[in-house]
Amino acid sequence: MPKGLPFQLGHYLALVDWSGRHFDPRKRGCIAENTPPILERLGISPKHWLYLSRNFESRFKGLVRSVEAVLQACTRLNKCWVHGIGDCQRFLSATPC
C-alpha cells in the first residue's frame, strides 16, 4: 500500500462530495443536491487548493483566513502588519489578484 491515499486529492474530494450527496437527507453529513462544490463555496480555485495542500506550512506562518477576516483580527490584536496577507489574498480570496 502506498503512503497516503492511493489516488489524487481531487479524486478523493470528488468521492467525498459524491458520498455526501447520497446520504439520507435526514442524516448528518448529507450534502443537498443543489449545493455547489466545496471549493466553489469557499471561493478557492482548484489550482490554488492543490498548491496549498502541498505547501501550506511554507506559505503561512500566522493568521490564515480571508483578507477581511485577517485585517479585522489585526485590529482586535492591535497589529499593524501580518506575515502572509498577500498569500491570503492570492490563494483564499474569491476574487484572485
Side-chain angles (χ1 to χ4, degrees):
M1 181 80 178
K3 190 173 186 178
L5 297 174
F7 40 84
Q8 295 176 339
L9 177 62
H11 294 162
Y12 173 74
L13 293 175
L15 177 63
V16 170
D17 185 77
W18 182 89
S19 299
R21 292 173 191 277
H22 288 83
F23 286 154
D24 183 324
R26 298 167 295 176
K27 299 290 184 179
R28 183 176 166 179
C30 176
I31 301 170
E33 243 346 277
N34 61 349
T35 303
I38 185 67
L39 293 178
E40 186 178 321
R41 292 192 321 253
L42 293 173
I44 301 173
S45 79
K47 178 179 86 172
H48 287 161
W49 171 256
L50 290 175
Y51 176 80
L52 288 174
S53 70
R54 294 183 191 113
N55 301 288
F56 189 85
E57 291 175 352
S58 66
R59 298 305 305 186
F60 296 102
K61 306 281 188 253
L63 300 171
V64 180
R65 294 191 64 189
S66 68
V67 171
E68 296 79 19
V70 169
L71 292 175
Q72 289 172 0
C74 285
T75 300
R76 284 193 312 276
L77 297 169
N78 208 18
K79 291 180 77 171
C80 297
W81 181 84
V82 64
H83 178 77
I85 198 159
D87 284 334
C88 289
Q89 174 66 39
R90 183 176 302 112
F91 297 116
L92 303 174
S93 175
T95 53
C97 57

